[in-house]
Structure formats: C-alpha cells, structure tokens
Amino acid sequence: MSVEPVPTGFPRVTPYLCVDGAAAAIDFYVAVLGATERMRMPAPDGRIGHAELQIGDAVVMLADEFPEMGFRGPRAVGGTPVTLYVYVTDVDAAFAAALDRGSTELQAVKDEFYGDRTGQFEDPFGHRWNVATHVEDVPPDELEKRAQQAMGSMETGG
C-alpha cells in the first residue's frame, strides 16, 4: 500500500491559523466566508487543539493559542504581516457580514484594475482577509496598461 505525499482532500498549501478564541472564529468564518467545518479536535483543557474548515476548494486549519508551546495568535505577537485572499460569490455581502460581526475595515470594497471587486478587513481575532469577487476578465495587454496607470496614480497620490 502506497501513501500519497499530499493527503486526499488537501491542497498543497494550507494556511494554519492560531486563534485566541478558535470556537468563535469557526462560527465567524462559517457566517462570513461560507466555510464548512470539516473536523474539530478538542484539547483536554477545552481549547480547540485542531480544526479544519473547507472554504470552496481550500482548506484552512486552525487551533486555539497554546502559548506554552510557542503557538500564539496575531494579537499576542503584535499583529500579522499575512493577508488571506478569499474569493466569495458576493463580496459586498461578505464584507458587510464581517463588519457586522466585529471586523475592522482596512480597505473599503472597490473595483480593482485587475478585474476583482475586493475589500480588506481584520477579523475580531487579528487575522487579515481580502474578500473578492471576480467581476471582469481583463486581457493581458489591457491589464498591463491598467497596472501602469494604477501604479502611476499611487506615485502621484491620486
């Protein structure tokens, strides 16, 4: 019998989130991102030792903080440099749901030059998310023009 190096049902890259309040985070990700809980393993002390969520064709793993093992969430370490980019069916509805559930708006939802309508928030647990809906297929030559315009407007502050 042969064992596959990447288990069936898992993408090659799977984010693993450390969350202060993993049970509440699971509820949040289900409500805002349409996640489905695949599994949950409680630790003996009641914390979540490991959980897995399905978001579309992606898997996100998460667990409560275990500072005694050096496993700390973004707030415990002063924030996060990582942003997770998630495509949703209705970015405006998902973004509004995130804000209604205590997220902080970092960038309002807007149409971007590359064909996505996207916004960024920090969830109540300190993780940053870009939620997006693809609204336009932009041909490569047009994308290049738009990128140059967008970068030019950033340099001039416009």
Side-chain angles (χ1 to χ4, degrees), residues 1-151:
M1 180 164 127
S2 173
V3 176
E4 293 297 320
V6 178
T8 303
F10 286 89
R12 269 195 193 269
V13 177
T14 303
Y16 203 115
L17 305 179
C18 179
V19 184
D20 181 13
I26 291 169
D27 292 342
F28 177 90
Y29 301 141
V30 167
V32 172
L33 302 175
T36 304
E37 187 174 330
R38 290 172 32 142
M39 62 91 66
R40 182 187 303 211
M41 291 179 4
D45 64 3
R47 291 180 286 180
I48 293 178
H50 178 78
E52 296 175 4
L53 301 177
Q54 186 83 36
I55 304 174
D57 58 359
V59 175
V60 175
M61 297 178 183
L62 67 135
D64 271 305
E65 289 185 315
F66 286 84
E68 65 276 17
M69 296 170 47
F71 192 64
R72 294 178 177 90
R75 294 223 165 94
V77 297
T80 180
V82 176
T83 300
L84 297 157
Y85 201 97
V86 179
Y87 282 102
V88 295
T89 304
D90 183 344
V91 66
D92 294 283
F95 197 80
L99 297 182
D100 287 348
R101 288 172 174 78
S103 293
T104 302
E105 179 180 308
L106 300 176
Q107 180 184 21
V109 174
K110 66 178 181 174
D111 292 336
E112 292 288 356
F113 70 90
Y114 44 85
D116 288 355
R117 182 165 174 75
T118 184
Q120 185 180 101
F121 63 85
E122 183 175 295
D123 70 25
F125 315 97
H127 294 283
R128 290 180 173 216
W129 299 83
N130 266 75
V131 287
T133 300
H134 189 66
V135 294
E136 178 187 11
D137 292 327
V138 183
D141 59 331
E142 179 64 21
L143 182 61
E144 186 176 335
K145 287 182 210 170
R146 291 182 187 184
Q148 288 175 355
Q149 289 173 342
M151 297 306 150

